[in-house]
Amino acid sequence: MPNYPDFRCHTEAMGLVVIIFGLLAMWIALGAGRWFVRVAMGIAFLGLLVPMKAYQPIFFFSVSAAATVLVLSVARRLAANGQLRRRLRRTEPPARKRMEFWLGILLGVTVAIFVIGWAVREFWAFGILESMLVFVLVVCGVMVAAGLFGERFRFGPVVVETVATNRWRFQLSDIMFGIVLLAVVFALDSYCLVQAPIRLWREFFATVGILTLINVAATLVVVTVRNRWRLMFVIVLLATLGSTFMVDFGAGNWLMQLSVLGPTRGAPWGKIVLVYVMVLLCAAQMTRMGGWLQFEESGTPFSDATKKLARVMWFVTAAVFVACLLPIGLQMSRRIGQPDHVAGDPLVFDALAEQARAVTELNPYGKRMDELRAKGATEKADFIADSNSRIRQLSRQPFRLPETSDVPPGVNIVGDNLVAIRGWTSIALSEANHAKTSERFVDAADWAMDCVWIGSGLSSGGDGVHTLSGIGIETAGQGVLVGIQNDLPTDRLERLLVDLIVVDHGRERIESLELREHHSMVHWMGWRYRLAQSAPPVLSAERAEDVRTLATPALEATKDSIDRRDATHRLLMVEMAIALFRQRAGRFPVDLAELVPDFLASIPIDPYSDKPLIYRIEGDGYVMYSTGTDGDDDGGSFGDSSTLYDDTYDFDVNTMFRPQRTPGFGGIGKGSM
């Protein structure tokens, strides 16, 4: 069973909603009073899902509830001519028996609540509302057992007799109300299908059929009096569950596919459905015992007390359900904060991707231009050179990715553009490394800065995939610059420093990136993602900031990658500033404050410690570094990319590019420049 991210709470919330609509369908079909009032209340419950934008569930619940009501109404009509009830032979139980019975119930409920309450809090970190759900289920189970078996055990045999029942009578007003309610449901369903069209119709109707059979069988098991009919409906219920498990939800898992994880391998869908059926049976039995359904026991000395107690428990259960679902619904209806506005033109990104696609299509194997010319493909090399020049110009212009909300679900234009750009940057890095090997350091710096500019553009204003891709591209460009910074002429070093400062100041805040990722997940997953965010803090003991969703791994990886990128970038900036300072002053700066304001606008901040980068003179050189992931100064002992999370090492400009060594070496500091 996967525990990352946890899908227990949002599954519980979905189960509660399904049970509520199942009970509403039972009440509409079998309840007493005016039928259109019950139908109107059911439609009102459907309307509560509209602010959450749960469009497909609204249509699903309307269809499944209508099917359940239709079947149960037919069953009610067929039973109208000779409804059965149970009557007890004995009419006055002894007081001692009644006291023993209720004391036993009280003792059983107390022990069950204590044991289950301890278990759910100790092993599963259940919250208060989740624990209350379990307690209510236990009490309902005891009540159901008392209702089914208590009277026969205490009072003796049961006499089954036929009683007269009221026939249905329809008037013109009923027809008019029916037309109005049908029009409302039709309009609501049409709106939902326009907002979220259903593509898996076969799976949809299979799930509707399964849920309808479960609801009908569970209802008839509860309301049927004759044991042979009850046994038959138990068999129907078990057969429905068995067929569902045999196909492994392959044809009927549409509802489960709406969950945040979908049909995840290893997810205990069978257990989830069994728990749902058990709770539905208990709730249906409580509804019948409370007298909310027409088919109820009568003629017993115990029926009035049972009905009153059952109604109390029914209202307690309903209150717990509302206390669980109302905060979740309110939280899901709230708007997510808006990310920072990213300046730039998305058309520049499109043009950049178009040029990159043209290069990669002509050069699918990533050959360098000198290799193409050596093979006689001069015309192709010239065209690629022109495209590269155009890409270099475009990469220096502010650009941003299209907003996620502007991209229709199922369209992968932005992803295709990303593939083209990543292919081009791979060629650019090959050119940069070849220029470095050939000691054409200025050309190498130009190619490397192409990657830095493009990577910084991709990592601002996009979702997590584009951000991580941009960071990877930019980090590769940083690696080339780190290796050639001591070989660059002063004028090129000055331009590089200016470019790096501009890039550093144009970063998007991590908080804005997180909001952008949340908006992206809501765009692609809709209410499912909001439910995964909202349910755990309400139901469980988990805090809102500790909730883990499908976006959590990407957000954590993004935050980690951003810290590494920014630390390397700022260390590289300061090293270039120190090199320029030394060329002018003939010495190293005593501290980084000497670099301000001639070379740097301010002292760069360490992203790991939120303090200025650590710098000190040592011998004929200096040491400068970041604290690394632990946020503590370890004295300037540096590792490599394999020791990033080792608390005994700091982070210097070469950490990400140093060849990996055996952990334990230390003291690699910055030598003389």
Side-chain angles (χ1 to χ4, degrees):
M1 174 176 163
N3 54 10
Y4 181 82
D6 180 17
F7 62 94
R8 182 188 77 216
C9 292
H10 80 255
T11 305
E12 291 172 350
M14 290 177 63
L16 290 179
V17 175
V18 176
I19 288 173
I20 287 175
F21 279 102
L23 292 174
L24 282 172
M26 298 177 192
W27 183 49
I28 291 173
L30 304 179
R34 296 186 177 275
W35 65 270
F36 50 82
V37 175
R38 304 194 297 272
V39 175
M41 291 186 64
I43 297 175
F45 272 93
L46 282 175
L48 293 177
L49 300 180
V50 174
M52 306 173 199
K53 299 182 179 180
Y55 301 119
Q56 288 194 4
I58 291 174
F59 183 67
F60 173 80
F61 289 135
S62 65
V63 175
S64 61
T68 302
V69 170
L70 179 62
V71 176
L72 289 179
S73 298
V74 172
R76 177 179 179 176
R77 181 67 177 176
L78 293 176
N81 291 328
Q83 183 176 331
L84 300 177
R85 73 177 182 182
R86 296 190 297 174
R87 180 174 58 81
L88 300 175
R89 289 180 179 175
R90 297 179 58 185
T91 58
E92 191 62 36
R96 182 176 59 84
K97 288 285 187 179
R98 285 182 288 178
M99 183 176 298
E100 289 177 355
F101 181 75
W102 291 112
L103 285 177
I105 290 179
L106 179 62
L107 180 62
V109 169
T110 303
V111 173
I113 288 178
F114 177 79
V115 173
I116 294 178
W118 172 81
V120 298
R121 291 183 177 274
E122 183 72 20
F123 297 107
W124 295 295
F126 274 32
I128 296 177
L129 289 177
E130 279 186 305
S131 302
M132 290 180 64
L133 284 173
V134 176
F135 298 159
V136 167
L137 180 61
V138 171
V139 175
C140 286
V142 174
M143 289 293 300
V144 168
L148 290 178
F149 307 109
E151 293 188 355
R152 176 174 296 186
F153 174 76
R154 294 182 298 115
F155 302 127
V158 176
V159 175
V160 177
E161 62 181 17
T162 302
V163 297
T165 59
N166 295 325
R167 294 182 178 274
W168 289 349
R169 296 181 177 88
F170 290 97
Q171 300 176 355
L172 180 60
S173 59
D174 294 316
I175 298 176
M176 297 302 297
F177 279 125
I179 293 175
V180 172
L181 294 173
L182 185 62
V184 172
V185 173
F186 179 78
L188 182 61
D189 286 347
S190 300
Y191 172 76
C192 292
L193 288 178
V194 170
Q195 296 296 322
I198 294 176
R199 296 178 175 85
L200 304 176
W201 283 104
R202 187 186 66 176
E203 288 79 1
F204 172 82
F205 283 114
T207 308
V208 167
I210 289 174
L211 185 60
T212 301
L213 283 175
I214 290 175
N215 288 339
V216 170
T219 306
L220 295 179
V221 165
V222 168
V223 302
T224 304
V225 175
R226 291 191 182 277
N227 288 331
R228 61 175 179 268
W229 287 105
R230 180 174 292 175
L231 178 61
M232 185 190 75
F233 293 124
V234 168
I235 294 174
V236 172
L237 182 60
L238 294 177
T240 304
L241 295 177
S243 63
T244 304
F245 299 149
M246 286 179 62
V247 298
D248 194 24
F249 290 92
N253 65 345
W254 180 85
L255 185 61
M256 290 302 178
Q257 286 178 356
L258 284 183
S259 67
V260 175
L261 292 183
T264 304
R265 183 177 297 276
W269 304 125
K271 295 180 181 178
I272 292 173
V273 174
L274 289 177
V275 171
Y276 163 72
V277 172
M278 181 178 66
V279 177
L280 181 65
L281 284 170
C282 290
Q285 176 68 1
M286 290 294 296
T287 305
R288 181 185 70 90
M289 292 170 61
W292 300 108
L293 301 182
Q294 286 279 36
F295 294 76
E296 58 180 275
E297 292 184 17
S298 59
T300 68
F302 170 67
S303 60
D304 291 338
T306 302
K307 181 181 295 187
K308 292 178 181 179
L309 185 59
R311 287 186 175 182
V312 171
M313 288 307 306
W314 191 94
F315 281 113
V316 171
T317 304
V320 173
F321 280 20
V322 171
C324 292
L325 295 178
L326 183 60
I328 296 175
L330 293 176
Q331 185 65 30
M332 290 176 63
S333 302
R334 293 177 181 173
R335 295 178 62 86
I336 301 177
Q338 292 298 317
D340 298 339
H341 173 72
V342 177
D345 189 350
L347 297 179
V348 175
F349 171 74
D350 294 337
L352 188 67
E354 183 180 354
Q355 294 293 327
R357 188 177 297 107
V359 172
T360 54
E361 288 176 354
L362 282 176
N363 188 16
Y365 298 104
K367 299 293 184 179
R368 300 190 308 273
M369 285 185 291
D370 59 336
E371 293 177 326
L372 293 175
R373 288 192 173 93
K375 292 184 177 181
T378 305
E379 184 177 351
K380 180 186 294 186
D382 291 340
F383 179 84
I384 291 176
D386 292 339
S387 296
N388 289 338
S389 177
R390 178 60 177 159
I391 289 174
R392 182 162 296 172
Q393 295 174 2
L394 290 170
S395 65
R396 269 62 172 179
Q397 300 178 27
F399 70 87
R400 64 177 177 85
L401 277 68
E403 294 291 341
T404 304
S405 57
D406 298 335
V407 180
V411 178
N412 198 31
I413 297 177
V414 178
D416 294 339
N417 289 344
L418 177 62
V419 171
I421 291 176
R422 291 176 64 176
W424 183 87
T425 54
S426 177
I427 298 174
L429 288 171
S430 176
E431 294 280 5
N433 287 315
H434 179 69
K436 174 183 174 182
T437 304
S438 305
E439 298 186 355
R440 293 184 288 110
F441 300 114
V442 173
D443 290 341
D446 290 338
W447 285 110
M449 278 307 300
D450 291 341
C451 295
V452 171
W453 281 109
I454 292 176
S456 65
L458 287 176
S459 57
S460 297
D463 57 16
V465 174
H466 292 84
T467 300
L468 289 173
S469 298
I471 292 173
I473 292 171
E474 188 175 351
T475 301
Q478 290 173 347
V480 175
L481 294 176
V482 168
I484 65 174
Q485 59 173 321
N486 297 331
D487 301 304
L488 292 171
T490 302
D491 60 336
R492 188 67 185 97
L493 202 62
E494 290 175 346
R495 294 201 307 272
L496 274 178
L497 179 57
V498 172
D499 288 344
L500 293 178
I501 292 174
V502 172
V503 169
D504 188 59
H505 287 172
R507 304 284 194 201
E508 186 175 9
R509 297 180 305 118
I510 182 62
E511 295 81 8
S512 177
L513 288 171
E514 290 177 351
L515 288 174
R516 200 174 297 279
E517 181 67 11
H518 290 318
H519 277 279
S520 176
M521 294 297 291
V522 170
H523 175 70
W524 296 109
M525 300 188 67
W527 64 273
R528 296 171 291 171
Y529 184 72
R530 295 305 309 274
L531 179 61
Q533 282 184 306
S534 306
V538 174
L539 297 179
S540 71
E542 196 171 9
R543 298 179 302 174
E545 56 269 23
D546 297 330
V547 172
R548 308 186 75 83
T549 65
L550 286 181
T552 302
L555 291 173
E556 291 177 344
T558 301
K559 176 66 168 62
D560 196 30
S561 300
I562 286 176
D563 288 340
R564 293 197 302 267
R565 177 203 64 187
D566 289 351
T568 303
H569 189 95
R570 293 169 186 175
L571 288 167
L572 182 59
M573 281 170 43
V574 176
E575 287 206 348
M576 290 183 177
I578 291 174
L580 293 172
F581 179 92
R582 187 186 184 193
Q583 290 177 10
R584 176 186 297 183
R587 63 178 176 83
F588 294 119
V590 177
D591 54 38
L592 297 183
E594 286 194 81
L595 301 175
V596 180
D598 293 341
F599 301 97
L600 298 172
S602 60
I603 300 176
I605 299 300
D606 182 356
Y608 289 110
S609 65
D610 291 328
K611 299 177 181 178
L613 295 170
I614 299 171
Y615 171 85
R616 61 177 176 269
I617 300 292
E618 284 192 0
D620 296 332
Y622 67 87
V623 175
M624 182 180 60
Y625 54 90
S626 159
T627 61
T629 55
D630 63 349
D632 296 327
D633 184 357
D634 297 307
S637 179
F638 308 127
D640 51 53
S641 59
S642 66
T643 61
L644 289 172
Y645 303 99
D646 191 329
D647 292 344
T648 61
Y649 296 105
D650 293 312
F651 186 100
D652 72 340
V653 74
N654 292 297
T655 296
M656 294 302 299
F657 317 110
R658 185 177 289 121
Q660 293 188 5
R661 304 186 188 182
T662 303
F665 73 97
I668 297 179
K670 184 69 180 177
S672 321
M673 295 291 290

Short mmCIF file of all heavy atoms in Angstrom, two decimals, residues 544-587:
data_model
loop_
_atom_site.label_atom_id
_atom_site.label_comp_id
_atom_site.label_asym_id
_atom_site.label_seq_id
_atom_site.Cartn_x
_atom_site.Cartn_y
_atom_site.Cartn_z
N ALA A 544 -1.54 21.48 7.73
CA ALA A 544 -1.70 21.85 6.32
C ALA A 544 -0.36 21.94 5.62
O ALA A 544 -0.22 21.54 4.46
CB ALA A 544 -2.45 23.19 6.22
N GLU A 545 0.67 22.46 6.30
CA GLU A 545 1.98 22.60 5.66
C GLU A 545 2.69 21.28 5.48
O GLU A 545 3.69 21.19 4.75
CB GLU A 545 2.87 23.56 6.46
CG GLU A 545 3.06 23.18 7.91
CD GLU A 545 2.02 23.81 8.83
OE1 GLU A 545 0.93 24.16 8.33
OE2 GLU A 545 2.31 23.94 10.03
N ASP A 546 2.22 20.22 6.15
CA ASP A 546 2.85 18.91 6.03
C ASP A 546 2.13 17.98 5.06
O ASP A 546 2.54 16.83 4.89
CB ASP A 546 2.93 18.23 7.40
CG ASP A 546 3.80 19.01 8.38
OD1 ASP A 546 4.74 19.68 7.91
OD2 ASP A 546 3.53 18.94 9.59
N VAL A 547 1.05 18.47 4.43
CA VAL A 547 0.28 17.63 3.52
C VAL A 547 1.13 17.30 2.29
O VAL A 547 1.77 18.17 1.70
CB VAL A 547 -1.02 18.34 3.09
CG1 VAL A 547 -1.72 17.55 2.00
CG2 VAL A 547 -1.93 18.51 4.29
N ARG A 548 1.11 16.05 1.91
CA ARG A 548 1.88 15.60 0.75
C ARG A 548 0.90 15.20 -0.36
O ARG A 548 0.00 14.40 -0.15
CB ARG A 548 2.79 14.42 1.12
CG ARG A 548 3.65 14.68 2.33
CD ARG A 548 4.63 13.55 2.57
NE ARG A 548 5.73 13.59 1.63
CZ ARG A 548 6.81 14.35 1.76
NH1 ARG A 548 6.90 15.17 2.79
NH2 ARG A 548 7.77 14.32 0.88
N THR A 549 1.09 15.80 -1.51
CA THR A 549 0.27 15.50 -2.67
C THR A 549 1.17 15.05 -3.81
O THR A 549 2.39 14.89 -3.64
CB THR A 549 -0.53 16.74 -3.11
OG1 THR A 549 0.38 17.75 -3.56
CG2 THR A 549 -1.34 17.29 -1.93
N LEU A 550 0.59 14.87 -4.98
CA LEU A 550 1.40 14.49 -6.13
C LEU A 550 2.40 15.57 -6.51
O LEU A 550 3.41 15.30 -7.16
CB LEU A 550 0.48 14.19 -7.33
CG LEU A 550 -0.30 12.88 -7.26
CD1 LEU A 550 -1.14 12.71 -8.51
CD2 LEU A 550 0.62 11.69 -7.09
N ALA A 551 2.12 16.82 -6.13
CA ALA A 551 3.05 17.90 -6.44
C ALA A 551 4.19 18.01 -5.45
O ALA A 551 5.18 18.69 -5.72
CB ALA A 551 2.29 19.23 -6.49
N THR A 552 4.08 17.34 -4.30
CA THR A 552 5.09 17.50 -3.25
C THR A 552 6.48 17.09 -3.70
O THR A 552 7.45 17.84 -3.48
CB THR A 552 4.66 16.72 -2.00
OG1 THR A 552 3.40 17.19 -1.56
CG2 THR A 552 5.68 16.91 -0.89
N PRO A 553 6.67 15.92 -4.33
CA PRO A 553 8.03 15.56 -4.76
C PRO A 553 8.63 16.58 -5.72
O PRO A 553 9.82 16.91 -5.61
CB PRO A 553 7.84 14.19 -5.43
CG PRO A 553 6.60 13.64 -4.85
CD PRO A 553 5.72 14.83 -4.60
N ALA A 554 7.82 17.06 -6.67
CA ALA A 554 8.33 18.05 -7.63
C ALA A 554 8.69 19.35 -6.93
O ALA A 554 9.72 19.97 -7.23
CB ALA A 554 7.30 18.30 -8.72
N LEU A 555 7.86 19.77 -5.95
CA LEU A 555 8.16 21.01 -5.23
C LEU A 555 9.42 20.87 -4.39
O LEU A 555 10.25 21.80 -4.33
CB LEU A 555 6.97 21.39 -4.34
CG LEU A 555 5.71 21.85 -5.07
CD1 LEU A 555 4.57 22.04 -4.09
CD2 LEU A 555 5.96 23.13 -5.84
N GLU A 556 9.58 19.72 -3.74
CA GLU A 556 10.79 19.51 -2.94
C GLU A 556 12.02 19.46 -3.82
O GLU A 556 13.07 20.05 -3.49
CB GLU A 556 10.66 18.23 -2.12
CG GLU A 556 9.62 18.31 -1.02
CD GLU A 556 9.46 17.01 -0.27
OE1 GLU A 556 9.94 15.97 -0.80
OE2 GLU A 556 8.90 17.01 0.83
N ALA A 557 11.93 18.76 -4.95
CA ALA A 557 13.06 18.71 -5.87
C ALA A 557 13.38 20.08 -6.44
O ALA A 557 14.54 20.45 -6.62
CB ALA A 557 12.78 17.70 -6.99
N THR A 558 12.33 20.85 -6.73
CA THR A 558 12.53 22.20 -7.27
C THR A 558 13.24 23.09 -6.25
O THR A 558 14.19 23.80 -6.58
CB THR A 558 11.19 22.82 -7.67
OG1 THR A 558 10.56 21.99 -8.65
CG2 THR A 558 11.37 24.21 -8.23
N LYS A 559 12.77 23.06 -5.00
CA LYS A 559 13.39 23.88 -3.96
C LYS A 559 14.86 23.50 -3.79
O LYS A 559 15.75 24.37 -3.69
CB LYS A 559 12.63 23.69 -2.65
CG LYS A 559 13.23 24.41 -1.45
CD LYS A 559 13.17 25.92 -1.61
CE LYS A 559 13.48 26.64 -0.30
NZ LYS A 559 14.85 26.37 0.18
N ASP A 560 15.15 22.21 -3.75
CA ASP A 560 16.52 21.74 -3.59
C ASP A 560 17.38 22.17 -4.77
O ASP A 560 18.51 22.65 -4.60
CB ASP A 560 16.51 20.21 -3.44
CG ASP A 560 17.82 19.69 -2.90
OD1 ASP A 560 18.48 20.41 -2.15
OD2 ASP A 560 18.18 18.54 -3.25
N SER A 561 16.86 22.01 -5.98
CA SER A 561 17.62 22.37 -7.18
C SER A 561 17.85 23.88 -7.25
O SER A 561 18.92 24.33 -7.68
CB SER A 561 16.89 21.89 -8.43
OG SER A 561 16.73 20.49 -8.42
N ILE A 562 16.84 24.66 -6.85
CA ILE A 562 16.99 26.11 -6.87
C ILE A 562 18.09 26.56 -5.90
O ILE A 562 18.90 27.43 -6.22
CB ILE A 562 15.65 26.78 -6.53
CG1 ILE A 562 14.70 26.66 -7.72
CG2 ILE A 562 15.84 28.24 -6.15
CD1 ILE A 562 13.32 27.20 -7.46
N ASP A 563 18.13 25.97 -4.71
CA ASP A 563 19.18 26.33 -3.75
C ASP A 563 20.57 26.02 -4.31
O ASP A 563 21.49 26.84 -4.19
CB ASP A 563 18.96 25.58 -2.44
CG ASP A 563 17.77 26.10 -1.67
OD1 ASP A 563 17.34 27.24 -1.93
OD2 ASP A 563 17.25 25.37 -0.80
N ARG A 564 20.73 24.87 -4.93
CA ARG A 564 22.04 24.52 -5.51
C ARG A 564 22.39 25.47 -6.66
O ARG A 564 23.54 25.93 -6.78
CB ARG A 564 22.03 23.08 -6.00
CG ARG A 564 21.91 22.04 -4.91
CD ARG A 564 22.33 20.67 -5.39
NE ARG A 564 21.55 20.21 -6.53
CZ ARG A 564 20.46 19.48 -6.43
NH1 ARG A 564 20.00 19.14 -5.23
NH2 ARG A 564 19.81 19.07 -7.50
N ARG A 565 21.41 25.72 -7.52
CA ARG A 565 21.67 26.62 -8.64
C ARG A 565 22.04 28.02 -8.17
O ARG A 565 23.02 28.62 -8.65
CB ARG A 565 20.43 26.69 -9.52
CG ARG A 565 20.54 27.65 -10.71
CD ARG A 565 19.18 28.11 -11.18
NE ARG A 565 18.47 28.90 -10.17
CZ ARG A 565 17.23 29.31 -10.29
NH1 ARG A 565 16.52 28.98 -11.35
NH2 ARG A 565 16.66 30.05 -9.33
N ASP A 566 21.27 28.56 -7.22
CA ASP A 566 21.53 29.92 -6.76
C ASP A 566 22.85 30.02 -6.02
O ASP A 566 23.58 31.03 -6.15
CB ASP A 566 20.38 30.39 -5.86
CG ASP A 566 19.10 30.63 -6.64
OD1 ASP A 566 19.16 30.60 -7.89
OD2 ASP A 566 18.05 30.84 -6.00
N ALA A 567 23.17 28.98 -5.22
CA ALA A 567 24.45 29.02 -4.51
C ALA A 567 25.61 29.03 -5.50
O ALA A 567 26.55 29.83 -5.37
CB ALA A 567 24.55 27.82 -3.57
N THR A 568 25.55 28.16 -6.51
CA THR A 568 26.62 28.13 -7.51
C THR A 568 26.67 29.44 -8.28
O THR A 568 27.76 29.99 -8.54
CB THR A 568 26.38 26.96 -8.49
OG1 THR A 568 26.33 25.73 -7.75
CG2 THR A 568 27.51 26.87 -9.51
N HIS A 569 25.52 29.95 -8.67
CA HIS A 569 25.46 31.18 -9.45
C HIS A 569 26.06 32.36 -8.67
O HIS A 569 26.87 33.14 -9.22
CB HIS A 569 24.00 31.49 -9.79
CG HIS A 569 23.82 32.60 -10.77
ND1 HIS A 569 23.69 32.39 -12.12
CD2 HIS A 569 23.76 33.95 -10.59
CE1 HIS A 569 23.55 33.55 -12.73
NE2 HIS A 569 23.57 34.52 -11.82
N ARG A 570 25.71 32.50 -7.41
CA ARG A 570 26.20 33.63 -6.63
C ARG A 570 27.69 33.49 -6.29
O ARG A 570 28.42 34.48 -6.26
CB ARG A 570 25.35 33.79 -5.37
CG ARG A 570 23.92 34.20 -5.70
CD ARG A 570 22.97 34.10 -4.53
NE ARG A 570 21.60 34.37 -4.97
CZ ARG A 570 20.53 34.27 -4.19
NH1 ARG A 570 20.68 33.92 -2.92
NH2 ARG A 570 19.32 34.52 -4.68
N LEU A 571 28.11 32.26 -6.03
CA LEU A 571 29.54 32.05 -5.81
C LEU A 571 30.34 32.40 -7.06
O LEU A 571 31.42 32.99 -6.99
CB LEU A 571 29.79 30.59 -5.40
CG LEU A 571 29.34 30.19 -3.99
CD1 LEU A 571 29.35 28.68 -3.85
CD2 LEU A 571 30.24 30.83 -2.93
N LEU A 572 29.81 32.02 -8.22
CA LEU A 572 30.48 32.34 -9.48
C LEU A 572 30.51 33.85 -9.70
O LEU A 572 31.54 34.40 -10.15
CB LEU A 572 29.75 31.63 -10.63
CG LEU A 572 30.33 31.81 -12.04
CD1 LEU A 572 31.77 31.32 -12.11
CD2 LEU A 572 29.46 31.08 -13.06
N MET A 573 29.41 34.52 -9.41
CA MET A 573 29.38 35.98 -9.53
C MET A 573 30.47 36.62 -8.67
O MET A 573 31.23 37.50 -9.12
CB MET A 573 28.01 36.52 -9.08
CG MET A 573 26.90 36.39 -10.10
SD MET A 573 25.28 36.79 -9.36
CE MET A 573 25.68 38.24 -8.42
N VAL A 574 30.56 36.20 -7.41
CA VAL A 574 31.53 36.81 -6.49
C VAL A 574 32.95 36.50 -6.93
O VAL A 574 33.85 37.35 -6.84
CB VAL A 574 31.26 36.33 -5.06
CG1 VAL A 574 32.32 36.88 -4.10
CG2 VAL A 574 29.87 36.76 -4.60
N GLU A 575 33.20 35.28 -7.41
CA GLU A 575 34.55 34.95 -7.87
C GLU A 575 34.96 35.82 -9.05
O GLU A 575 36.11 36.29 -9.13
CB GLU A 575 34.63 33.47 -8.25
CG GLU A 575 34.61 32.55 -7.05
CD GLU A 575 35.29 31.22 -7.34
OE1 GLU A 575 35.57 30.95 -8.52
OE2 GLU A 575 35.54 30.47 -6.39
N MET A 576 34.04 36.08 -9.99
CA MET A 576 34.36 36.99 -11.09
C MET A 576 34.59 38.40 -10.58
O MET A 576 35.50 39.11 -11.06
CB MET A 576 33.22 36.96 -12.12
CG MET A 576 33.12 35.67 -12.90
SD MET A 576 31.81 35.73 -14.15
CE MET A 576 32.02 34.12 -14.92
N ALA A 577 33.77 38.84 -9.62
CA ALA A 577 33.97 40.17 -9.05
C ALA A 577 35.32 40.26 -8.33
O ALA A 577 36.02 41.29 -8.42
CB ALA A 577 32.82 40.49 -8.09
N ILE A 578 35.70 39.20 -7.61
CA ILE A 578 37.00 39.19 -6.93
C ILE A 578 38.13 39.25 -7.94
O ILE A 578 39.14 39.97 -7.75
CB ILE A 578 37.11 37.94 -6.03
CG1 ILE A 578 36.14 38.04 -4.85
CG2 ILE A 578 38.54 37.76 -5.54
CD1 ILE A 578 36.07 36.79 -4.00
N ALA A 579 37.98 38.51 -9.06
CA ALA A 579 39.03 38.54 -10.10
C ALA A 579 39.17 39.93 -10.68
O ALA A 579 40.31 40.42 -10.90
CB ALA A 579 38.69 37.52 -11.18
N LEU A 580 38.08 40.62 -10.94
CA LEU A 580 38.15 41.98 -11.47
C LEU A 580 38.71 42.94 -10.42
O LEU A 580 39.49 43.86 -10.76
CB LEU A 580 36.75 42.44 -11.90
CG LEU A 580 36.16 41.69 -13.11
CD1 LEU A 580 34.70 42.10 -13.32
CD2 LEU A 580 36.98 41.97 -14.37
N PHE A 581 38.34 42.75 -9.16
CA PHE A 581 38.90 43.59 -8.08
C PHE A 581 40.40 43.41 -7.98
O PHE A 581 41.14 44.40 -7.82
CB PHE A 581 38.22 43.22 -6.76
CG PHE A 581 38.73 43.98 -5.57
CD1 PHE A 581 38.12 45.15 -5.17
CD2 PHE A 581 39.83 43.53 -4.84
CE1 PHE A 581 38.59 45.87 -4.08
CE2 PHE A 581 40.31 44.24 -3.76
CZ PHE A 581 39.68 45.41 -3.37
N ARG A 582 40.87 42.16 -8.08
CA ARG A 582 42.31 41.90 -7.97
C ARG A 582 43.07 42.53 -9.13
O ARG A 582 44.20 43.05 -8.94
CB ARG A 582 42.55 40.40 -7.92
CG ARG A 582 44.00 40.03 -7.62
CD ARG A 582 44.23 38.55 -7.72
NE ARG A 582 45.58 38.20 -7.36
CZ ARG A 582 46.15 37.03 -7.59
NH1 ARG A 582 45.44 36.07 -8.20
NH2 ARG A 582 47.39 36.79 -7.23
N GLN A 583 42.47 42.48 -10.33
CA GLN A 583 43.15 43.10 -11.48
C GLN A 583 43.28 44.61 -11.28
O GLN A 583 44.26 45.21 -11.73
CB GLN A 583 42.38 42.79 -12.76
CG GLN A 583 42.45 41.34 -13.20
CD GLN A 583 41.61 41.07 -14.43
OE1 GLN A 583 41.13 41.99 -15.07
NE2 GLN A 583 41.45 39.79 -14.76
N ARG A 584 42.31 45.21 -10.62
CA ARG A 584 42.36 46.66 -10.41
C ARG A 584 43.22 47.02 -9.20
O ARG A 584 44.03 47.96 -9.27
CB ARG A 584 40.96 47.21 -10.22
CG ARG A 584 40.92 48.70 -9.91
CD ARG A 584 39.51 49.17 -9.60
NE ARG A 584 38.61 49.01 -10.74
CZ ARG A 584 37.33 49.42 -10.72
NH1 ARG A 584 36.83 49.97 -9.61
NH2 ARG A 584 36.57 49.25 -11.77
N ALA A 585 43.07 46.29 -8.08
CA ALA A 585 43.74 46.67 -6.83
C ALA A 585 45.03 45.90 -6.59
O ALA A 585 45.81 46.28 -5.72
CB ALA A 585 42.79 46.47 -5.65
N GLY A 586 45.26 44.82 -7.29
CA GLY A 586 46.47 44.03 -7.09
C GLY A 586 46.44 43.17 -5.85
O GLY A 586 47.50 42.67 -5.43
N ARG A 587 45.29 42.98 -5.28
CA ARG A 587 45.16 42.15 -4.07
C ARG A 587 43.75 41.59 -4.00
O ARG A 587 42.86 42.02 -4.75
CB ARG A 587 45.45 42.97 -2.82
CG ARG A 587 44.46 44.12 -2.61
CD ARG A 587 44.73 44.89 -1.34
NE ARG A 587 43.82 46.03 -1.21
CZ ARG A 587 42.58 45.97 -0.73
NH1 ARG A 587 42.08 44.80 -0.32
NH2 ARG A 587 41.83 47.06 -0.65
#
